[in-house]
Amino acid sequence: MANAWLAVADGRAGVRVHRGSVLDIHAQAIVSPANSQGWMRGGIDAVYATAFPQVENNVRSAVLALHGGELPVGEAQIVATGETEPAWLISAPTMRRPGERLPVDTVHPYLAARAVLMLWLTGRLEDGTLVRDAVHTIAMPGLGTGVGGVAPSTCAHQVAAAWDEAFNPLHV
């Protein structure tokens, strides 16, 4: 995944590639390429659920309370991790159901990345603080590249397209 990120990172200010665990990055927020129901039982989500014992309950509660039980692919929700760093987890579904294998021609990594970036640009925390004022670094793993089966290069190119749309809308 790191090689795929490196292939698209050049020329995109603010993008840094880290080789290793996403949990090793000093960040205020971490991205969960979740499923729409907020279950965190597989892939990187299971790692997050172990590292942050309250987070799955926080995601599920937010999905139920704010999204009627299903956070659609293409939307994102920020919740507290229960830890000081990262303090926030951004749930951005890449699949509707847990364990779903994504089709080769999926655009779900793009939709998830775009949702994360739009949340950062315009979203608010529960206390009304702009997300971008509280979160300066977001750690993002591959989106859909584990359980979903998306090729790392596909993910990286789709995340780059979302980045370009969010931060340089005339580029697309």
Side-chain angles (χ1 to χ4, degrees):
M1 190 70 237
N3 289 338
W5 286 133
L6 285 169
V8 300
D10 193 37
R12 291 184 172 85
V15 174
R16 289 178 303 188
V17 176
H18 170 78
R19 287 187 185 274
S21 173
V22 70
L23 293 176
D24 293 339
I25 300 169
H26 294 290
Q28 293 78 45
I30 195 162
V31 174
S32 165
N35 57 75
S36 292
Q37 288 80 37
W39 293 112
M40 300 179 72
R41 307 288 167 83
I44 190 71
D45 288 324
V47 174
Y48 293 163
T50 300
F52 315 116
Q54 299 173 18
V55 80
E56 183 178 27
N57 186 56
N58 293 350
V59 170
R60 294 271 306 131
S61 294
V63 168
L64 288 168
L66 303 172
H67 303 279
E70 184 170 345
L71 178 63
V73 172
E75 294 189 25
Q77 177 67 50
I78 190 167
V79 300
T81 63
E83 303 294 330
T84 54
E85 189 178 281
W88 306 102
L89 179 132
I90 301 172
S91 181
T94 57
M95 61 187 64
R96 188 158 183 241
R97 287 183 281 299
E100 187 176 338
R101 188 95 174 147
L102 299 175
V104 171
D105 62 349
T106 187
V107 295
H108 289 193
Y110 164 80
L111 294 171
R114 184 180 182 284
V116 168
L117 298 171
M118 292 297 105
L119 177 72
W120 184 80
L121 286 168
T122 64
R124 294 189 179 271
L125 301 173
E126 284 184 7
D127 68 1
T129 302
L130 285 169
V131 173
R132 68 177 178 252
D133 289 341
V135 173
H136 305 288
T137 300
I138 299 171
M140 183 182 297
L143 304 177
T145 57
V147 173
V150 174
S153 62
T154 299
C155 169
H157 282 94
Q158 289 189 21
V159 171
W163 182 273
D164 292 345
E165 181 180 331
F167 296 110
N168 187 10
L170 300 177
H171 180 64
V172 239

